[in-house]
Amino acid sequence: MSDAPPMPDDALAEELPADVAALIGVEQYPEQGEFPVEQGYIWTSCSSVENGSSLFWDAEVAASLTDGPIAPPTMLSVWFRPHHWAPGRTEEHLPLKVHFDLKARFGLPEAVMTDNTITFYDPVRPGDLLRTHQVLRSVSGPKTTKLGTGRFWVIDVVYHNQRDELVGVETYTGFGYRRAA
Amino acid sequence: MSDTTTSTPRLLLGDATVGDALPTLAYPVTATTVVLGALAARDWRPMHHDHDFAVNRNGTQDIFMNTPNQAAWFERYVTDWTGPTGRLGHMQFRMKGSVFPGDEMRLDATVRDVRTDDAGCGWVTLDVALTVDGDVKTTCAVRVAVPTTPDDNPWARRGDAWRPDPTA
């Protein structure tokens, strides 16, 4: 929710600290999901948006179209959002860690996502255990929007299942900012 | 509660024409809508459930719908139209404003493109808009595969037969 379109392509290498520039294109934070894809959560998601598609509620339809139940494709990121708390964890486990790294690196306390692109590949099924990694694609120079002054950045999140099949790629454009005084 | 599809439409590629408008989905957003959607997406961030945090830290007027939940609304809207044989390939969102409790959100879409790719897969591209009081809050370009014939099933496509990325 900015008043200026994101301009990730205008990243000026000379404005980027070397440590940030070195991360562009690098696979970071390979992770395994904390739990298998589960049917109950699929229904919870469908319920939250009143999605009555027979593909998710009728086992016969799912069997005929997709060889059994699948998750709504847009749930892709759901399977990677960590528990809010887990035993032994000493710090908050943040999803999209590269985004939070950039906020911290540039000292930008606030952030919003302005764009999100998702490409869907093989269906995700109950019982699947997904893994992911993140890739920083670009970081803009300083920008000022009605929210404040900060930077735009573009991050890919790549998802595979336990059979090493690509199931999806999400691309996020974030704007980290400091509110105007 | 909104009207959900109780019949089972099976849209075929030949049923879609560039310029076609999809039926509007109107939905009154409440705090429950926002919180339920955030938790269904396992998004525990406070701006989606904590009014004080949203107002005093984020500077927004209230808690607001999160992106994954908006994606779920767009998916439901598109597949209400295609039926279960519709298979999402690609979605590109642009968030222009937030959706708050008290808003009536409206989803509308028009068909931008209808084509068959080199692998024989039928694709419809839709320009979907989420608006509140006429203001566009989110736009979403959706590329959805639909059957080219009654016997076709986009879900059966694997490997090179499934080419969801329009930029690839």
Side-chain angles (χ1 to χ4, degrees):
Chain A
M1 39 178 275
S2 67
D3 61 355
M7 292 181 285
D9 295 336
D10 70 351
L12 301 175
E14 62 272 24
E15 295 188 35
L16 287 183
D19 59 317
V20 177
L23 291 174
I24 292 176
V26 175
E27 290 188 11
Q28 298 187 73
Y29 299 112
E31 283 187 87
Q32 182 110 339
E34 289 188 334
F35 59 97
V37 174
E38 60 181 76
Q39 183 66 63
Y41 234 98
I42 291 170
W43 286 327
T44 297
S45 176
C46 288
S47 176
S48 77
V49 296
E50 301 178 19
N51 184 345
S53 172
S54 55
L55 182 56
F56 308 118
W57 296 95
D58 185 326
E60 290 184 7
V61 172
S64 67
L65 289 180
T66 54
D67 293 328
I70 65 168
T74 56
M75 289 190 74
L76 192 59
S77 66
V78 171
W79 313 116
F80 259 90
R81 293 182 181 275
H83 301 311
H84 189 257
W85 174 92
R89 182 174 295 163
T90 56
E91 59 184 27
E92 187 179 6
H93 188 156
L94 297 171
L96 206 57
K97 190 73 166 54
V98 171
H99 170 77
F100 292 96
D101 287 351
L102 291 168
K103 283 182 65 182
R105 176 62 182 82
F106 290 113
L108 301 171
E110 315 300 339
V112 293
M113 292 300 176
T114 60
D115 280 280
N116 180 205
T117 298
I118 319 174
T119 308
F120 305 104
Y121 292 91
D122 283 0
V124 172
R125 299 174 183 279
D128 280 356
L129 193 56
L130 304 185
R131 60 183 174 77
T132 188
H133 64 263
Q134 301 169 38
V135 180
L136 177 63
R137 292 299 178 194
S138 65
V139 181
S140 80
K143 300 287 180 188
T144 298
T145 77
K146 67 182 178 184
L147 290 174
T149 298
R151 292 174 184 260
F152 288 96
W153 45 72
V154 178
I155 302 165
D156 278 353
V157 182
V158 183
Y159 298 83
H160 289 84
N161 63 22
Q162 68 276 20
R163 296 176 294 280
D164 293 331
E165 297 162 335
L166 180 65
V167 296
V169 178
E170 283 195 287
T171 301
Y172 290 95
T173 301
F175 179 59
Y177 65 96
R178 182 175 294 281
R179 292 172 68 179
Chain B
M1 306 286 272
S2 64
D3 291 333
T4 55
T5 302
T6 52
S7 61
T8 305
R10 298 283 177 111
L11 185 86
L12 299 179
L13 189 68
D15 298 329
T17 303
V18 172
D20 283 353
L22 275 63
T24 297
L25 171 65
Y27 193 86
V29 175
T30 67
T32 300
T33 312
V34 175
V35 175
L36 178 62
L39 298 189
R42 298 177 55 82
D43 188 342
W44 326 120
R45 291 176 300 164
M47 64 283 264
H48 304 304
H49 64 260
D50 184 333
H51 176 85
D52 182 67
F53 185 96
V55 172
N56 294 314
R57 276 292 306 279
N58 274 170
T60 56
Q61 71 184 54
D62 203 336
I63 61 173
F64 53 94
M65 290 180 71
N66 71 340
T67 302
N69 185 234
Q70 288 194 34
W73 277 104
F74 283 116
E75 176 175 5
R76 172 259 164 110
Y77 177 61
V78 170
T79 56
D80 272 2
W81 179 64
T82 64
T85 47
R87 179 180 178 184
L88 293 180
H90 190 264
M91 303 176 85
Q92 183 171 25
F93 303 89
R94 176 157 291 183
M95 278 67 79
K96 300 173 181 292
S98 299
V99 181
F100 301 108
D103 287 345
E104 181 180 79
M105 69 173 181
R106 293 171 60 93
L107 293 171
D108 293 282
T110 56
V111 175
R112 186 210 306 169
D113 188 52
V114 180
R115 68 178 60 229
T116 303
D117 69 18
D118 291 343
C121 184
W123 291 101
V124 177
T125 301
L126 299 164
D127 290 318
V128 188
L130 187 165
T131 60
V132 175
D133 294 332
D135 291 335
V136 177
K137 301 297 184 181
T138 305
T139 60
C140 184
V142 179
R143 192 169 187 245
V144 59
V146 298
T148 56
T149 67
D151 296 332
D152 186 22
N153 176 14
W155 291 104
R157 293 180 173 274
R158 295 287 185 275
D160 192 49
W162 178 244
R163 303 175 184 179
D165 186 351
T167 65

